[in-house]
Amino acid sequence: MVVWDLGGVLAPSGRALTELARSLDVGEAELAGAYWAHRSAYDLGGTAAEYWRLVGESLGRPLDAVWAERLDRVDTDCWAALAEAPAALLAELASRGAALGVLSNAPRSLAAAVRGAPWSARFETLVFSCDLGLMKPDRLVYRAADERLGTSPRDVVFFDDRPENVAAARAHGWRAHVWTGADAAKAALIGEGVLDG
């Protein structure tokens, strides 16, 4: 099975911060600190209302429920959009009958959006941190993912844009690769015997 991270791999990185900064009329760098400072708790299953309240506090501006809903929609729409190059690679893999899965750190709203997106239908299993109460690179995540994916570690080829997540996946026994783009991923898949050269 070929398993994929979402943000920075299947979905383009950086787009969410750009759109959110525009919505809030703040600089991206200013927003980034607040955005990432509280993200882990959100990805582990925290509520959108609490997450955006904390982001607002960090920015020095209160964000009520209406703002939280609006910002969460922008955030979710950005991270749930499939990038063009990975889409083409996924289509090639699907046409050859390759089993596909997702393992991503993501909050509940994003997990729901991905599950509802037409492009996710080609994936056999979607595993998100909010469902597990665990996040990459915790090594227990990969064991839990194997249980949900129905795989043994040696059966999984994995792509993630964060080296620490790849290192933890390799320690678990997955054949993991740092995502640097679709061309490099295709070469890796050929090397792994998933695609023909």
Side-chain angles (χ1 to χ4, degrees):
M1 176 175 280
V2 185
V3 178
W4 308 82
D5 178 38
L6 182 60
V9 178
L10 296 180
S13 182
R15 185 171 160 233
L17 282 175
T18 300
E19 295 300 322
L20 289 165
R22 184 178 297 127
S23 297
L24 289 165
D25 195 25
V26 297
E28 281 187 50
E30 181 184 2
L31 174 61
Y35 182 92
W36 292 116
H38 308 290
R39 194 71 182 190
S40 291
Y42 189 34
D43 285 346
L44 285 169
T47 67
E50 177 66 4
Y51 172 68
W52 292 109
R53 183 187 68 75
L54 292 169
V55 170
E57 283 183 3
S58 296
L59 294 171
R61 49 188 300 187
L63 298 173
D64 62 16
V66 173
W67 262 110
E69 184 178 341
R70 180 184 308 163
L71 295 171
D72 206 56
R73 191 177 322 114
V74 171
D75 189 55
T76 297
D77 287 349
C78 288
W79 287 119
L82 185 62
E84 187 175 325
L89 183 54
L90 290 173
E92 182 177 355
L93 287 164
S95 74
R96 296 179 185 218
L100 302 172
V102 165
L103 173 61
S104 183
N105 292 340
R108 295 190 190 286
S109 54
L110 177 54
V114 170
R115 288 186 171 112
W119 60 262
S120 73
R122 62 174 40 119
F123 291 91
E124 292 185 10
T125 308
L126 302 163
V127 181
F128 297 102
S129 58
C130 61
D131 300 323
L132 299 175
L134 299 165
M135 290 179 60
K136 296 177 293 179
D138 186 328
R139 289 175 68 173
L140 294 176
V141 166
Y142 306 95
R143 184 185 308 163
D146 273 332
E147 291 173 5
R148 294 198 178 207
L149 295 165
T151 52
S152 296
R154 67 183 176 279
D155 299 330
V156 176
V157 178
F158 178 58
F159 292 96
D160 197 297
D161 62 320
R162 295 182 179 266
E164 62 270 26
N165 295 343
V166 170
R170 286 177 179 164
H172 174 69
W174 285 7
R175 294 174 285 157
H177 302 267
V178 176
W179 172 268
T180 58
D183 290 342
K186 184 170 183 177
L189 289 165
I190 292 169
E192 294 285 3
V194 177
L195 290 175
D196 298 327

